[in-house]
């Protein structure tokens, strides 16, 4: 900039000797050169501040990506551990979800860190640790499936996985601290550039006497631009922090809900097993005992009429045993659900439900062929839970069960004409179980009063159709 001003200075030197006019022109020229120089530096400062702010935002985004990667690795660890301890495949849901995403997230993290760091940080160690941990988890799951609970007696299998998780946590902690330090450093650099630019503007107000007004206008405009950029950066950082905090709370809440639902589901399974065991013992046991007594009574008989009566009794007992076995099998999982779909299974269940003293039912299930087996099963379980609640609490005379498909969403509605929603007990799990089943399908669950009288339950399940989005 000084070199560019030298030719002009040489031209205006003769004018200085002409008195106040020449001096004013000279000072004006000096002020103009100072303003041009300062304006140039100001634009460079804005660019530097923007670069530092971008680097700071990138560091914060990297920190979030690092946290997501660690969260996925923890999901793999939690799912594997839960499955090894219980042998329940449902514990592998977070493991499978994280296993599908961790590779892509790790790849994004690797690319982002390689582009952001100036010291050429190598991601190979973290990548190698994560790959080893995933393979070790797959190995433990395979061993649990092959050897059963015997794997729990070999603590050496867990020690290697724990060591790898400790090393991964150490590496993740190092990366997060490094990114936060980098963000703070970039912000500090931006502040230094801003302070330097403001000092330069202060001296401009002294040197640019003749151009004070014009210079002030430009300086105000420049300051507004910088303040706006700083305000946007501040708002962006605050919003990013809020999003991270809210997302963390959501993930924690979701994890607690999954754990609680899994425990309640396990308790319900155990309770159902005990009930079925009692039914098998009380009903089938009695039938077989009676069958044995009849056969023992027929053993010493020689009269044809008596033997015929005994044979008829045996046939009746066998028919009763077959009916009991079929009823128990149907309660475990209706065969109609797999063979003929949701509508047939609900109608079959409703017939037995009404015979046990339940309210009358009006059923209109349409387009149930669009449902996957898992979706049909979960909706059937929601219907079972709702029917049980109506029988226990609603004092209803009729229920309406409707299902229909519209705009890639399956709508499942249950209405009764009972007393309506009551205050839910803290230990009650019926509504919570229905809501969790809908959530597992990626859908929504609504529970509230019906339009006229009673209770209304609405479930919306998104569908993936062939050739659809």
């Amino acid at each position: 900039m000084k070199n560019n001003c030298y030719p002009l200075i040489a031209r205006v030197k003769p004018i200085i000797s002409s008195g106040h006019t020449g001096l004013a022109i000279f000072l004006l020229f000096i002020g103009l050169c100072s303003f041009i120089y300062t304006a140039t530096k100001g634009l460079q400062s804005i660019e530097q501040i923007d670069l530092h702010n971008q680097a700071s935002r990138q560091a914060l985004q990297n920190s979030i990506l690092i946290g997501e990667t660690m969260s996925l690795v923890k999901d793999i660890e939690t799912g594997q551990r839960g499955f090894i301890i219980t042998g329940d495949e449902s514990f592998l849901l977070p493991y499978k979800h994280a296993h599908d995403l961790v590779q892509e997230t790790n790849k994004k993290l690797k690319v982002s860190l390689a582009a952001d760091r100036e010291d050429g940080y190598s991601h190979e160690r973290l990548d190698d640790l994560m790959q080893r941990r995933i393979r070790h988890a797959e190995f433990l799951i395979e061993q649990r499936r092959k050897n059963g609970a015997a794997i729990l007696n070999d603590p050496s299998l867990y020690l290697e996985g724990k060591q790898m998780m400790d090393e991964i946590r150490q590496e993740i902690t190092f990366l997060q601290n490094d990114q936060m330090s980098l963000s703070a450093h970039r912000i500090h650099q931006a502040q230094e550039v801003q302070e330097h630019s403001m000092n330069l503007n202060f001296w401009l107000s002294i040197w640019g006497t003749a151009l004070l007004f014009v210079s002030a206008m430009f300086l105000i405009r420049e300051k507004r631009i910088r303040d706006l950029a700083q305000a946007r950066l501040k708002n962006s950082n605050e919003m990013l922090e809020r999003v991270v905090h809210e997302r963390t709370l959501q993930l924690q809440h979701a994890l607690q809900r999954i754990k609680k639902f899994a425990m309640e589901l396990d308790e319900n399974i155990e309770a159902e097993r005990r009930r079925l065991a009692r039914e098998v013992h009380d009903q089938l046991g009695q039938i077989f005992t009676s069958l044995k007594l009849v056969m023992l009574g027929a053993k010493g008989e020689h009269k044809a009429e008596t033997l015929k009566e005994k044979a008829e009794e045996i046939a009746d007992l066998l028919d009763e045993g077959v009916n009991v076995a079929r009823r128990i099998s149907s309660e475990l999982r209706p065969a109609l659900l797999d063979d003929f779909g949701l509508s047939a299974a609900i109608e079959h269940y409703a017939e037995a439900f009404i015979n046990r003293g339940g309210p009358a039912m009006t059923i209109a299930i349409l387009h149930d062929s669009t449902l996957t087996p898992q979706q049909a099963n979960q909706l059937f379980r929601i219907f079972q839970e709702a029917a049980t609640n109506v029988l226990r609490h609603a004092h209803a005379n009729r229920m309406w069960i409707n299902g229909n498909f519209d705009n890639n969403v399956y709508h499942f509605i249950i209405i009764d004409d009972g007393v309506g929603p009551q205050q839910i007990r803290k230990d009650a799990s019926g509504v919570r179980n229905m809501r969790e089943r809908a959530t597992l399908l990626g859908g929504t669950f609504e529970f509230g009063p019906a339009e006229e009288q009673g209770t209304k339950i609405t479930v919306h399940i998104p569908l993936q159709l062939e050739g659809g989005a």
Side-chain angles (χ1 to χ4, degrees):
M1 178 58 63
K2 291 182 179 180
N3 294 334
N4 294 333
C5 291
Y6 283 154
L8 295 176
I9 293 175
R11 292 184 180 182
V12 299
K13 276 183 179 180
I15 305 177
I16 298 177
S17 59
S18 63
H20 295 290
T21 303
L23 180 60
I25 295 175
F26 177 77
L27 292 177
L28 178 61
F29 173 76
I30 296 298
L32 181 60
C33 290
S34 300
F35 173 75
I36 295 174
Y37 175 79
T38 306
T40 303
K41 286 295 184 181
L43 292 175
Q44 293 176 355
S45 299
I46 292 176
E47 293 177 356
Q48 292 177 1
I49 291 173
D50 186 62
L51 290 176
H52 292 318
N53 290 339
Q54 289 180 5
S56 176
R57 288 194 297 269
Q58 182 64 35
L60 290 176
Q61 291 175 358
N62 289 344
S63 180
I64 295 173
L65 197 56
I66 291 169
E68 291 179 357
T69 303
M70 188 61 196
S71 178
L72 291 173
V73 175
K74 288 181 179 179
D75 287 346
I76 291 176
E77 174 73 11
T78 302
Q80 165 238 291
R81 185 185 299 114
F83 174 73
I84 289 175
I85 294 175
T86 64
D88 188 352
E89 291 285 341
S90 64
F91 280 89
L92 290 179
L93 291 177
Y95 165 83
K96 294 178 180 178
H97 176 74
H99 188 276
D100 294 336
L101 296 179
V102 70
Q103 299 293 349
E104 181 180 354
T105 304
N106 185 38
K107 183 178 180 180
K108 292 180 180 179
L109 176 60
K110 181 178 180 179
V111 174
S112 182
L113 289 175
D116 183 64
R117 293 180 62 96
E118 299 176 355
D119 57 357
Y121 169 78
S122 176
H123 189 262
E124 294 179 0
R125 170 172 169 77
L126 178 59
D127 188 47
D128 179 67
L129 287 172
M130 292 177 61
Q131 297 299 331
R132 287 168 51 198
R133 186 63 193 93
I134 292 173
R135 289 195 297 269
H136 187 68
E138 294 173 347
F139 169 76
L140 291 179
I141 292 173
E142 183 65 23
Q143 291 297 314
R144 180 64 171 87
R145 288 172 174 163
K146 289 182 178 180
N147 302 326
I151 190 177
L152 300 175
N153 299 325
D154 189 3
S156 62
L157 294 176
Y158 304 101
L159 195 53
E160 182 180 357
K162 181 180 181 301
Q163 291 175 350
M164 285 187 286
M165 283 300 297
D166 291 340
E167 292 178 2
I168 291 174
R169 289 190 182 97
Q170 183 178 3
E171 193 73 9
I172 290 293
T173 301
F174 166 77
L175 286 177
Q176 286 181 327
N177 293 337
D178 180 73
Q179 291 300 310
M180 296 306 295
S181 299
L182 180 60
S183 176
H185 177 64
R186 293 295 190 181
I187 293 175
H188 179 68
Q189 287 181 328
Q191 292 175 348
E192 288 182 348
V193 173
Q194 184 180 3
E195 292 175 0
H196 177 72
S197 179
M198 293 185 67
N199 290 333
L200 198 59
N201 291 337
F202 172 76
W203 289 109
L204 173 65
S205 64
I206 298 176
W207 285 96
T209 304
L211 301 174
L212 180 61
F213 178 76
V214 177
S215 301
M217 294 295 293
F218 279 102
L219 288 174
I220 291 173
R221 180 175 178 274
E222 183 182 352
K223 188 176 183 302
R224 286 178 178 175
I225 293 175
R226 286 199 306 270
D227 291 344
L228 181 61
Q230 289 295 110
R232 288 178 177 175
L233 175 62
K234 183 178 179 181
N235 292 336
S236 178
N237 292 339
E238 291 177 353
M239 182 181 66
L240 190 59
E241 291 177 357
R242 287 196 301 270
V243 170
V244 172
H245 180 68
E246 292 174 359
R247 181 58 177 165
T248 301
L249 292 179
Q250 291 175 359
L251 290 174
Q252 292 175 351
H253 180 64
L255 181 60
Q256 292 175 357
R257 287 174 55 192
I258 290 174
K259 290 181 178 179
K260 189 172 183 180
F261 179 65
M263 294 177 62
E264 292 177 352
L265 187 61
D266 186 63
E267 292 175 357
N268 292 337
I269 291 174
E270 290 299 325
E272 185 67 11
R273 287 175 176 173
R274 289 193 295 269
R275 185 185 69 81
L276 291 174
R278 287 195 299 269
E279 290 197 10
V280 170
H281 178 271
D282 296 341
Q283 298 186 33
L284 289 180
Q286 292 179 3
I287 291 173
F288 287 138
T289 300
S290 300
L291 183 62
K292 181 179 180 180
L293 293 176
V294 172
M295 294 180 69
L296 289 176
K299 185 177 180 181
E301 292 291 340
H302 298 287
K303 295 181 179 180
E305 294 182 357
T306 303
L307 290 175
K308 182 178 180 181
E309 292 177 358
K310 297 294 183 181
E312 291 177 354
E313 291 182 15
I314 292 174
D316 292 340
L317 290 172
L318 289 175
D319 289 339
E320 184 178 355
V322 170
N323 292 332
V324 170
R326 287 178 177 174
R327 181 176 58 80
I328 294 176
S329 175
S330 177
E331 291 179 356
L332 285 173
R333 181 176 176 87
L336 291 174
L337 187 61
D338 295 324
D339 298 335
F340 298 101
L342 179 64
S343 177
I346 289 179
E347 291 177 356
H348 179 74
Y349 183 89
E351 182 179 355
F353 182 77
I354 295 172
N355 292 334
R356 295 200 304 268
M361 292 189 184
T362 300
I363 301 170
I365 304 296
L366 304 177
H367 307 296
D368 55 343
S369 61
T370 59
L371 298 170
T372 65
Q374 181 184 8
Q375 291 169 338
N377 179 62
Q378 294 295 349
L379 290 179
F380 180 78
R381 297 306 179 189
I382 291 174
F383 161 72
Q384 278 188 311
E385 191 77 48
T388 301
N389 288 344
V390 169
L391 184 62
R392 291 177 178 175
H393 311 295
H395 306 293
N397 296 319
R398 178 169 290 276
M399 292 177 62
W400 292 266
I401 299 91
N402 299 318
N404 201 357
F405 167 77
D406 180 38
N407 196 21
N408 287 354
V409 176
Y410 198 85
H411 308 280
F412 189 70
I413 303 173
I414 302 173
I415 302 175
D416 68 74
D417 60 354
V419 297
Q422 304 297 313
Q423 184 176 4
I424 300 176
R425 305 190 315 272
K426 293 183 178 180
D427 59 342
S429 60
V431 175
R432 185 167 57 251
N433 287 343
M434 289 187 284
R435 179 177 287 107
E436 294 297 339
R437 292 185 184 277
T439 302
L440 288 175
L441 297 176
T444 60
F445 175 86
E446 299 173 6
F447 176 84
E451 286 77 2
E452 297 182 358
Q453 178 184 353
T455 303
K456 180 178 181 180
I457 295 173
T458 305
V459 183
H460 304 288
I461 304 298
L463 302 180
Q464 290 291 339
L465 300 181
E466 295 182 359

